[in-house]
Amino acid sequence: MLRGLYDWTLSLAAKKSAEWWLAFIAFVESSVFLVPADVLYLPMALSRPDRAYRYALIATLASVLGGIAGWYIGHYAYDTVARPILEFYGKYDDFEALRVSSGIGFIILMLITSGLAHLPPIKVVTILSGVIGVNLLLFIVLAIVARGARFLFLAWLLRRYGEPIREFIEKRLGLIAGAAAAALISLYIVVKYAF
């Protein structure tokens, strides 16, 4: 299944609509959707390393705009929109615990960890930021830094080591996915219990 998804997204990179799909996925990931933009960004950048920075900017911009939408959902439509989304994903109780204990410092930490490693999911951070009333301008700046750093760093790696990284990923896709999952779970545990 993982190989099929990888092959499909790699083939999508050659289509004219790939950038629009990347923007759409990055946008909805930051407000309501579970699948990270990396699922499309990485194969696109691997397929066209010469466009890695362009794709990074598209993903960053769309992700930040989606984050603003998430902030507005949390701030103005928590009961009508955000709560049903959280209940759908089975995260309402966890979210309420975060809401009660969160302050601006914790939001900054979560934006950074979510920007770097998707933990917690960015949509949780954006909605929570709106719910607790984080200043929108500060939120936008933090989201640009966190999401931009992630995508631009990946773009740099892919531009610098494009073909060798592509071959490495294709030969070891399952191992990489397992290692990434283990790293993300470890980071989540550290962040959750250390703070």
PDB file of all heavy atoms in Angstrom, residues 53-80:
ATOM      1  N   TYR A  53      12.170  24.319  -4.216  1.00  0.00           N
ATOM      2  CA  TYR A  53      11.906  25.554  -3.469  1.00  0.00           C
ATOM      3  C   TYR A  53      10.544  26.140  -3.840  1.00  0.00           C
ATOM      4  O   TYR A  53       9.834  26.662  -2.987  1.00  0.00           O
ATOM      5  CB  TYR A  53      13.014  26.583  -3.705  1.00  0.00           C
ATOM      6  CG  TYR A  53      14.281  26.246  -2.972  1.00  0.00           C
ATOM      7  CD1 TYR A  53      15.427  25.880  -3.667  1.00  0.00           C
ATOM      8  CD2 TYR A  53      14.343  26.280  -1.590  1.00  0.00           C
ATOM      9  CE1 TYR A  53      16.598  25.561  -2.999  1.00  0.00           C
ATOM     10  CE2 TYR A  53      15.510  25.971  -0.910  1.00  0.00           C
ATOM     11  CZ  TYR A  53      16.624  25.607  -1.623  1.00  0.00           C
ATOM     12  OH  TYR A  53      17.779  25.285  -0.950  1.00  0.00           O
ATOM     13  N   ARG A  54      10.197  26.051  -5.100  1.00  0.00           N
ATOM     14  CA  ARG A  54       8.874  26.525  -5.532  1.00  0.00           C
ATOM     15  C   ARG A  54       7.781  25.745  -4.805  1.00  0.00           C
ATOM     16  O   ARG A  54       6.841  26.322  -4.271  1.00  0.00           O
ATOM     17  CB  ARG A  54       8.748  26.356  -7.046  1.00  0.00           C
ATOM     18  CG  ARG A  54       7.396  26.711  -7.610  1.00  0.00           C
ATOM     19  CD  ARG A  54       7.362  26.398  -9.112  1.00  0.00           C
ATOM     20  NE  ARG A  54       6.047  26.553  -9.646  1.00  0.00           N
ATOM     21  CZ  ARG A  54       5.634  27.626 -10.314  1.00  0.00           C
ATOM     22  NH1 ARG A  54       6.457  28.632 -10.519  1.00  0.00           N
ATOM     23  NH2 ARG A  54       4.411  27.676 -10.788  1.00  0.00           N
ATOM     24  N   TYR A  55       7.921  24.425  -4.772  1.00  0.00           N
ATOM     25  CA  TYR A  55       6.943  23.590  -4.080  1.00  0.00           C
ATOM     26  C   TYR A  55       6.925  23.909  -2.586  1.00  0.00           C
ATOM     27  O   TYR A  55       5.863  23.905  -1.954  1.00  0.00           O
ATOM     28  CB  TYR A  55       7.236  22.109  -4.283  1.00  0.00           C
ATOM     29  CG  TYR A  55       7.165  21.632  -5.717  1.00  0.00           C
ATOM     30  CD1 TYR A  55       7.936  20.565  -6.141  1.00  0.00           C
ATOM     31  CD2 TYR A  55       6.337  22.237  -6.660  1.00  0.00           C
ATOM     32  CE1 TYR A  55       7.880  20.106  -7.451  1.00  0.00           C
ATOM     33  CE2 TYR A  55       6.276  21.788  -7.970  1.00  0.00           C
ATOM     34  CZ  TYR A  55       7.046  20.718  -8.362  1.00  0.00           C
ATOM     35  OH  TYR A  55       6.992  20.266  -9.653  1.00  0.00           O
ATOM     36  N   ALA A  56       8.088  24.175  -2.014  1.00  0.00           N
ATOM     37  CA  ALA A  56       8.163  24.511  -0.589  1.00  0.00           C
ATOM     38  C   ALA A  56       7.405  25.808  -0.294  1.00  0.00           C
ATOM     39  O   ALA A  56       6.695  25.901   0.714  1.00  0.00           O
ATOM     40  CB  ALA A  56       9.621  24.637  -0.151  1.00  0.00           C
ATOM     41  N   LEU A  57       7.555  26.784  -1.167  1.00  0.00           N
ATOM     42  CA  LEU A  57       6.846  28.051  -0.964  1.00  0.00           C
ATOM     43  C   LEU A  57       5.341  27.879  -1.116  1.00  0.00           C
ATOM     44  O   LEU A  57       4.566  28.446  -0.340  1.00  0.00           O
ATOM     45  CB  LEU A  57       7.380  29.113  -1.932  1.00  0.00           C
ATOM     46  CG  LEU A  57       8.806  29.572  -1.646  1.00  0.00           C
ATOM     47  CD1 LEU A  57       9.291  30.525  -2.728  1.00  0.00           C
ATOM     48  CD2 LEU A  57       8.905  30.234  -0.274  1.00  0.00           C
ATOM     49  N   ILE A  58       4.928  27.078  -2.098  1.00  0.00           N
ATOM     50  CA  ILE A  58       3.496  26.807  -2.276  1.00  0.00           C
ATOM     51  C   ILE A  58       2.939  26.114  -1.042  1.00  0.00           C
ATOM     52  O   ILE A  58       1.894  26.499  -0.503  1.00  0.00           O
ATOM     53  CB  ILE A  58       3.264  25.943  -3.536  1.00  0.00           C
ATOM     54  CG1 ILE A  58       3.550  26.770  -4.798  1.00  0.00           C
ATOM     55  CG2 ILE A  58       1.842  25.379  -3.566  1.00  0.00           C
ATOM     56  CD1 ILE A  58       3.614  25.945  -6.074  1.00  0.00           C
ATOM     57  N   ALA A  59       3.641  25.086  -0.567  1.00  0.00           N
ATOM     58  CA  ALA A  59       3.183  24.346   0.607  1.00  0.00           C
ATOM     59  C   ALA A  59       3.153  25.234   1.845  1.00  0.00           C
ATOM     60  O   ALA A  59       2.211  25.166   2.646  1.00  0.00           O
ATOM     61  CB  ALA A  59       4.063  23.116   0.837  1.00  0.00           C
ATOM     62  N   THR A  60       4.160  26.069   2.005  1.00  0.00           N
ATOM     63  CA  THR A  60       4.208  26.965   3.164  1.00  0.00           C
ATOM     64  C   THR A  60       3.056  27.958   3.131  1.00  0.00           C
ATOM     65  O   THR A  60       2.339  28.126   4.125  1.00  0.00           O
ATOM     66  CB  THR A  60       5.558  27.715   3.218  1.00  0.00           C
ATOM     67  OG1 THR A  60       6.608  26.760   3.342  1.00  0.00           O
ATOM     68  CG2 THR A  60       5.603  28.677   4.383  1.00  0.00           C
ATOM     69  N   LEU A  61       2.884  28.635   2.004  1.00  0.00           N
ATOM     70  CA  LEU A  61       1.821  29.635   1.885  1.00  0.00           C
ATOM     71  C   LEU A  61       0.445  29.009   2.117  1.00  0.00           C
ATOM     72  O   LEU A  61      -0.357  29.513   2.903  1.00  0.00           O
ATOM     73  CB  LEU A  61       1.868  30.305   0.508  1.00  0.00           C
ATOM     74  CG  LEU A  61       0.781  31.332   0.230  1.00  0.00           C
ATOM     75  CD1 LEU A  61       0.883  32.495   1.210  1.00  0.00           C
ATOM     76  CD2 LEU A  61       0.879  31.833  -1.197  1.00  0.00           C
ATOM     77  N   ALA A  62       0.185  27.885   1.458  1.00  0.00           N
ATOM     78  CA  ALA A  62      -1.116  27.229   1.614  1.00  0.00           C
ATOM     79  C   ALA A  62      -1.312  26.725   3.041  1.00  0.00           C
ATOM     80  O   ALA A  62      -2.419  26.816   3.595  1.00  0.00           O
ATOM     81  CB  ALA A  62      -1.250  26.087   0.615  1.00  0.00           C
ATOM     82  N   SER A  63      -0.253  26.213   3.650  1.00  0.00           N
ATOM     83  CA  SER A  63      -0.341  25.720   5.018  1.00  0.00           C
ATOM     84  C   SER A  63      -0.641  26.856   5.995  1.00  0.00           C
ATOM     85  O   SER A  63      -1.463  26.699   6.900  1.00  0.00           O
ATOM     86  CB  SER A  63       0.961  25.021   5.398  1.00  0.00           C
ATOM     87  OG  SER A  63       0.879  24.491   6.688  1.00  0.00           O
ATOM     88  N   VAL A  64      -0.002  27.996   5.803  1.00  0.00           N
ATOM     89  CA  VAL A  64      -0.256  29.142   6.674  1.00  0.00           C
ATOM     90  C   VAL A  64      -1.684  29.658   6.470  1.00  0.00           C
ATOM     91  O   VAL A  64      -2.385  29.957   7.443  1.00  0.00           O
ATOM     92  CB  VAL A  64       0.786  30.256   6.444  1.00  0.00           C
ATOM     93  CG1 VAL A  64       0.400  31.534   7.170  1.00  0.00           C
ATOM     94  CG2 VAL A  64       2.166  29.778   6.901  1.00  0.00           C
ATOM     95  N   LEU A  65      -2.141  29.724   5.227  1.00  0.00           N
ATOM     96  CA  LEU A  65      -3.527  30.145   4.976  1.00  0.00           C
ATOM     97  C   LEU A  65      -4.520  29.161   5.598  1.00  0.00           C
ATOM     98  O   LEU A  65      -5.524  29.571   6.185  1.00  0.00           O
ATOM     99  CB  LEU A  65      -3.776  30.283   3.471  1.00  0.00           C
ATOM    100  CG  LEU A  65      -3.058  31.450   2.793  1.00  0.00           C
ATOM    101  CD1 LEU A  65      -3.250  31.391   1.278  1.00  0.00           C
ATOM    102  CD2 LEU A  65      -3.524  32.788   3.354  1.00  0.00           C
ATOM    103  N   GLY A  66      -4.219  27.877   5.496  1.00  0.00           N
ATOM    104  CA  GLY A  66      -5.057  26.873   6.152  1.00  0.00           C
ATOM    105  C   GLY A  66      -5.017  27.017   7.663  1.00  0.00           C
ATOM    106  O   GLY A  66      -6.019  26.807   8.355  1.00  0.00           O
ATOM    107  N   GLY A  67      -3.838  27.371   8.188  1.00  0.00           N
ATOM    108  CA  GLY A  67      -3.711  27.615   9.623  1.00  0.00           C
ATOM    109  C   GLY A  67      -4.559  28.795  10.071  1.00  0.00           C
ATOM    110  O   GLY A  67      -5.167  28.758  11.143  1.00  0.00           O
ATOM    111  N   ILE A  68      -4.606  29.847   9.249  1.00  0.00           N
ATOM    112  CA  ILE A  68      -5.460  31.001   9.563  1.00  0.00           C
ATOM    113  C   ILE A  68      -6.921  30.564   9.573  1.00  0.00           C
ATOM    114  O   ILE A  68      -7.691  30.951  10.458  1.00  0.00           O
ATOM    115  CB  ILE A  68      -5.217  32.146   8.564  1.00  0.00           C
ATOM    116  CG1 ILE A  68      -3.788  32.690   8.739  1.00  0.00           C
ATOM    117  CG2 ILE A  68      -6.253  33.254   8.732  1.00  0.00           C
ATOM    118  CD1 ILE A  68      -3.340  33.627   7.627  1.00  0.00           C
ATOM    119  N   ALA A  69      -7.301  29.721   8.612  1.00  0.00           N
ATOM    120  CA  ALA A  69      -8.671  29.190   8.596  1.00  0.00           C
ATOM    121  C   ALA A  69      -8.934  28.387   9.872  1.00  0.00           C
ATOM    122  O   ALA A  69     -10.002  28.514  10.482  1.00  0.00           O
ATOM    123  CB  ALA A  69      -8.892  28.326   7.351  1.00  0.00           C
ATOM    124  N   GLY A  70      -7.963  27.569  10.287  1.00  0.00           N
ATOM    125  CA  GLY A  70      -8.101  26.811  11.527  1.00  0.00           C
ATOM    126  C   GLY A  70      -8.241  27.727  12.730  1.00  0.00           C
ATOM    127  O   GLY A  70      -9.046  27.479  13.641  1.00  0.00           O
ATOM    128  N   TRP A  71      -7.453  28.816  12.760  1.00  0.00           N
ATOM    129  CA  TRP A  71      -7.541  29.788  13.846  1.00  0.00           C
ATOM    130  C   TRP A  71      -8.949  30.377  13.901  1.00  0.00           C
ATOM    131  O   TRP A  71      -9.551  30.475  14.973  1.00  0.00           O
ATOM    132  CB  TRP A  71      -6.501  30.894  13.651  1.00  0.00           C
ATOM    133  CG  TRP A  71      -6.396  31.855  14.794  1.00  0.00           C
ATOM    134  CD1 TRP A  71      -5.518  31.792  15.828  1.00  0.00           C
ATOM    135  CD2 TRP A  71      -7.199  33.027  15.013  1.00  0.00           C
ATOM    136  NE1 TRP A  71      -5.728  32.852  16.686  1.00  0.00           N
ATOM    137  CE2 TRP A  71      -6.754  33.630  16.207  1.00  0.00           C
ATOM    138  CE3 TRP A  71      -8.245  33.624  14.332  1.00  0.00           C
ATOM    139  CZ2 TRP A  71      -7.305  34.784  16.723  1.00  0.00           C
ATOM    140  CZ3 TRP A  71      -8.813  34.784  14.848  1.00  0.00           C
ATOM    141  CH2 TRP A  71      -8.349  35.345  16.037  1.00  0.00           C
ATOM    142  N   TYR A  72      -9.485  30.758  12.730  1.00  0.00           N
ATOM    143  CA  TYR A  72     -10.836  31.328  12.679  1.00  0.00           C
ATOM    144  C   TYR A  72     -11.888  30.296  13.105  1.00  0.00           C
ATOM    145  O   TYR A  72     -12.851  30.640  13.790  1.00  0.00           O
ATOM    146  CB  TYR A  72     -11.158  31.867  11.280  1.00  0.00           C
ATOM    147  CG  TYR A  72     -10.701  33.295  11.103  1.00  0.00           C
ATOM    148  CD1 TYR A  72      -9.488  33.575  10.489  1.00  0.00           C
ATOM    149  CD2 TYR A  72     -11.468  34.358  11.567  1.00  0.00           C
ATOM    150  CE1 TYR A  72      -9.050  34.881  10.342  1.00  0.00           C
ATOM    151  CE2 TYR A  72     -11.044  35.668  11.417  1.00  0.00           C
ATOM    152  CZ  TYR A  72      -9.834  35.925  10.811  1.00  0.00           C
ATOM    153  OH  TYR A  72      -9.402  37.225  10.677  1.00  0.00           O
ATOM    154  N   ILE A  73     -11.705  29.051  12.704  1.00  0.00           N
ATOM    155  CA  ILE A  73     -12.631  27.998  13.136  1.00  0.00           C
ATOM    156  C   ILE A  73     -12.619  27.896  14.659  1.00  0.00           C
ATOM    157  O   ILE A  73     -13.669  27.841  15.293  1.00  0.00           O
ATOM    158  CB  ILE A  73     -12.265  26.642  12.491  1.00  0.00           C
ATOM    159  CG1 ILE A  73     -12.612  26.655  11.004  1.00  0.00           C
ATOM    160  CG2 ILE A  73     -12.981  25.489  13.199  1.00  0.00           C
ATOM    161  CD1 ILE A  73     -12.045  25.463  10.234  1.00  0.00           C
ATOM    162  N   GLY A  74     -11.429  27.882  15.248  1.00  0.00           N
ATOM    163  CA  GLY A  74     -11.321  27.792  16.698  1.00  0.00           C
ATOM    164  C   GLY A  74     -11.871  29.010  17.406  1.00  0.00           C
ATOM    165  O   GLY A  74     -12.525  28.903  18.443  1.00  0.00           O
ATOM    166  N   HIS A  75     -11.619  30.176  16.850  1.00  0.00           N
ATOM    167  CA  HIS A  75     -12.006  31.424  17.506  1.00  0.00           C
ATOM    168  C   HIS A  75     -13.498  31.726  17.364  1.00  0.00           C
ATOM    169  O   HIS A  75     -14.134  32.175  18.324  1.00  0.00           O
ATOM    170  CB  HIS A  75     -11.176  32.582  16.948  1.00  0.00           C
ATOM    171  CG  HIS A  75     -11.203  33.803  17.799  1.00  0.00           C
ATOM    172  ND1 HIS A  75     -10.534  33.882  18.997  1.00  0.00           N
ATOM    173  CD2 HIS A  75     -11.840  34.988  17.642  1.00  0.00           C
ATOM    174  CE1 HIS A  75     -10.737  35.074  19.535  1.00  0.00           C
ATOM    175  NE2 HIS A  75     -11.531  35.760  18.731  1.00  0.00           N
ATOM    176  N   TYR A  76     -14.036  31.515  16.174  1.00  0.00           N
ATOM    177  CA  TYR A  76     -15.413  31.937  15.905  1.00  0.00           C
ATOM    178  C   TYR A  76     -16.415  30.788  15.749  1.00  0.00           C
ATOM    179  O   TYR A  76     -17.616  31.029  15.798  1.00  0.00           O
ATOM    180  CB  TYR A  76     -15.458  32.797  14.637  1.00  0.00           C
ATOM    181  CG  TYR A  76     -14.732  34.102  14.803  1.00  0.00           C
ATOM    182  CD1 TYR A  76     -13.526  34.324  14.153  1.00  0.00           C
ATOM    183  CD2 TYR A  76     -15.235  35.106  15.620  1.00  0.00           C
ATOM    184  CE1 TYR A  76     -12.848  35.521  14.301  1.00  0.00           C
ATOM    185  CE2 TYR A  76     -14.552  36.306  15.781  1.00  0.00           C
ATOM    186  CZ  TYR A  76     -13.363  36.505  15.108  1.00  0.00           C
ATOM    187  OH  TYR A  76     -12.705  37.694  15.268  1.00  0.00           O
ATOM    188  N   ALA A  77     -15.940  29.575  15.531  1.00  0.00           N
ATOM    189  CA  ALA A  77     -16.884  28.489  15.253  1.00  0.00           C
ATOM    190  C   ALA A  77     -16.510  27.216  16.002  1.00  0.00           C
ATOM    191  O   ALA A  77     -16.651  26.120  15.475  1.00  0.00           O
ATOM    192  CB  ALA A  77     -16.936  28.238  13.748  1.00  0.00           C
ATOM    193  N   TYR A  78     -16.057  27.374  17.228  1.00  0.00           N
ATOM    194  CA  TYR A  78     -15.615  26.204  17.972  1.00  0.00           C
ATOM    195  C   TYR A  78     -16.731  25.180  18.146  1.00  0.00           C
ATOM    196  O   TYR A  78     -16.572  24.008  17.819  1.00  0.00           O
ATOM    197  CB  TYR A  78     -15.042  26.612  19.336  1.00  0.00           C
ATOM    198  CG  TYR A  78     -14.608  25.427  20.155  1.00  0.00           C
ATOM    199  CD1 TYR A  78     -13.477  24.712  19.798  1.00  0.00           C
ATOM    200  CD2 TYR A  78     -15.344  24.993  21.248  1.00  0.00           C
ATOM    201  CE1 TYR A  78     -13.078  23.595  20.524  1.00  0.00           C
ATOM    202  CE2 TYR A  78     -14.955  23.891  21.980  1.00  0.00           C
ATOM    203  CZ  TYR A  78     -13.820  23.195  21.612  1.00  0.00           C
ATOM    204  OH  TYR A  78     -13.433  22.089  22.311  1.00  0.00           O
ATOM    205  N   ASP A  79     -17.876  25.608  18.663  1.00  0.00           N
ATOM    206  CA  ASP A  79     -18.963  24.657  18.939  1.00  0.00           C
ATOM    207  C   ASP A  79     -19.611  24.106  17.676  1.00  0.00           C
ATOM    208  O   ASP A  79     -19.997  22.945  17.640  1.00  0.00           O
ATOM    209  CB  ASP A  79     -20.036  25.311  19.826  1.00  0.00           C
ATOM    210  CG  ASP A  79     -19.541  25.494  21.254  1.00  0.00           C
ATOM    211  OD1 ASP A  79     -18.785  24.625  21.731  1.00  0.00           O
ATOM    212  OD2 ASP A  79     -19.903  26.507  21.884  1.00  0.00           O
ATOM    213  N   THR A  80     -19.721  24.920  16.648  1.00  0.00           N
ATOM    214  CA  THR A  80     -20.424  24.463  15.440  1.00  0.00           C
ATOM    215  C   THR A  80     -19.541  23.710  14.457  1.00  0.00           C
ATOM    216  O   THR A  80     -20.022  22.837  13.752  1.00  0.00           O
ATOM    217  CB  THR A  80     -21.079  25.654  14.704  1.00  0.00           C
ATOM    218  OG1 THR A  80     -20.076  26.612  14.384  1.00  0.00           O
ATOM    219  CG2 THR A  80     -22.164  26.273  15.551  1.00  0.00           C
TER     220      THR A  80
END
